[in-house]
């Protein structure tokens, strides 16, 4: 497995490849959710490239940039075992320059929900993914449905900027008890982890209820009864294009939750 630290080396390597390229961008601290993306990329492409980069521009001041888990050695081992061809793991100076051109997330859909509670987060996400796409020039790029709004905005960027690549959504991988895998789960104490389960439970209950009612208020009320979080930021019902809805349509509804358990901010969702 090749390991590259600079965009130049990566681009040179990419040029030497003949065949389709599946790309999995990550911030590292890899878990089974990331592995699912990697495996799908490997099954559908001739080559798999993974990037590992804790992108500073998508963290707000005061967020967990400094304490975000970094486990490069273990991550490289996971990638090697999973049959990844190359890992691109740059330092920030190799990606960003001073006073550079920046991409803005769309004013509405980039600034609701996650974008409301983390303003400019998606500007940073789109900025880095744009750069990564230009370096790796993938045939297909793999993104988790766990970060549903991110997935939607990246699809929009591909459309708006005429990127010649396919975005492949990947289902959320969960622990046996329902907790969505996340690099941030390691912040949770045992007691917090138990309460974090109430998030996936509320979503599961909502999915079940939606088979007998399309009434969002009724569903929301039951979800609130199940949730055992310290600070709920949102429960939202949107269609697949992130328009708010007031009735559920199967095949075109996503229910999203963002909440703090202690100091840890978790997000999860379910696609109906
Ligand atoms: P991150 O390292 O958190 O930036 O995530 C990298 C990619 O993995 C993103 O496309 C995420 O949506 C995806 N991902 C994160 N957690 C999961 C999960 N539990 N299941 C599936 N994909 C995930």
């Amino acid at each position: 497995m090749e390991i590259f630290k600079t965009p130049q080396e990566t681009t040179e390597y990419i040029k030497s490849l003949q065949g389709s390229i599946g790309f999995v961008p990550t911030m590292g601290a890899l878990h089974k959710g990331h592995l699912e993306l990697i495996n799908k990329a490997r099954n559908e492409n001739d080559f798999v490239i993974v990037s590992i980069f804790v992108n500073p521009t998508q963290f707000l001041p005061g967020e967990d940039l400094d304490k975000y888990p970094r486990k490069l050695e273990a991550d490289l081992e996971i990638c090697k075992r999973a049959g990844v061809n190359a890992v691109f793991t740059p330092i920030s100076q190799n990606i960003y320059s001073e006073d550079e051109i920046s991409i803005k997330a769309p004013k509405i859909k980039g600034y609701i929900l996650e974008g409301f509670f983390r303003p400019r987060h998606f500007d940073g996400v789109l900025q880095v993914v744009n750069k990564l796409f230009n370096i790796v020039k993938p045939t297909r790029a793999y993104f988790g449905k766990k970060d549903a709004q991110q997935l939607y905005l990246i699809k929009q960027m591909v459309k708006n900027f005429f990127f010649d690549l396919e975005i492949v959504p990947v289902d959320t991988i969960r622990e046996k008890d329902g907790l969505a895998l996340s690099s941030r789960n390691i912040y949770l104490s045992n007691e917090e982890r138990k309460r974090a389960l109430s998030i996936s439970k509320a979503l599961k209950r909502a999915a079940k209820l939606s088979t007998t009612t399309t009434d969002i208020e009724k569903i929301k009320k039951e979800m609130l009864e199940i949730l055992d979080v310290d600070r709920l930021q949102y429960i939202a019902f949107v269609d697949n294009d992130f328009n708010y809805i007031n009735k559920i349509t199967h095949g075109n509804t996503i229910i999203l939750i963002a909440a703090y358990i202690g100091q840890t901010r978790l997000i999860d969702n379910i696609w109906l």
Side-chain angles (χ1 to χ4, degrees), residues 13 48 71 84 104 188 244 247:
Y13 169 76
V48 178
K71 303 180 173 182
V84 170
K104 288 260 170 270
L188 299 169
Y244 287 108
K247 259 200 161 36

Side-chain angles (χ1 to χ4, degrees), residues 25-28 31 33-34 37 68 142-144 146-147 150 170-173 180-181:
T26 80
M27 297 207 298
H31 51 64
H34 297 112
L37 273 63
Y68 195 84
Y142 294 78
F143 289 89
K146 163 137 191 311
D147 297 282
Q150 166 176 287
V170 181
D171 285 340
T172 300
I173 301 299
L181 291 180

Side-chain angles (χ1 to χ4, degrees), residues 24-37 51 53 58 68 142-148 150-151 154 168 170-175 179-185 268:
V24 181
T26 80
M27 297 207 298
L30 301 182
H31 51 64
K32 285 184 188 143
H34 297 112
L35 207 52
E36 184 78 5
L37 273 63
S51 65
F53 179 54
Q58 70 189 70
Y68 195 84
Y142 294 78
F143 289 89
K145 286 161 84 171
K146 163 137 191 311
D147 297 282
Q150 166 176 287
L151 169 63
I154 287 168
V168 184
V170 181
D171 285 340
T172 300
I173 301 299
R174 299 177 179 281
E175 304 278 11
L179 184 69
L181 291 180
S182 161
S183 305
R184 289 187 169 99
N185 288 351
D268 198 356

Side-chain angles (χ1 to χ4, degrees), residues 53-64:
F53 179 54
V54 182
N55 172 37
T57 64
Q58 70 189 70
F59 288 80
L60 270 67
E63 286 190 343
D64 57 344

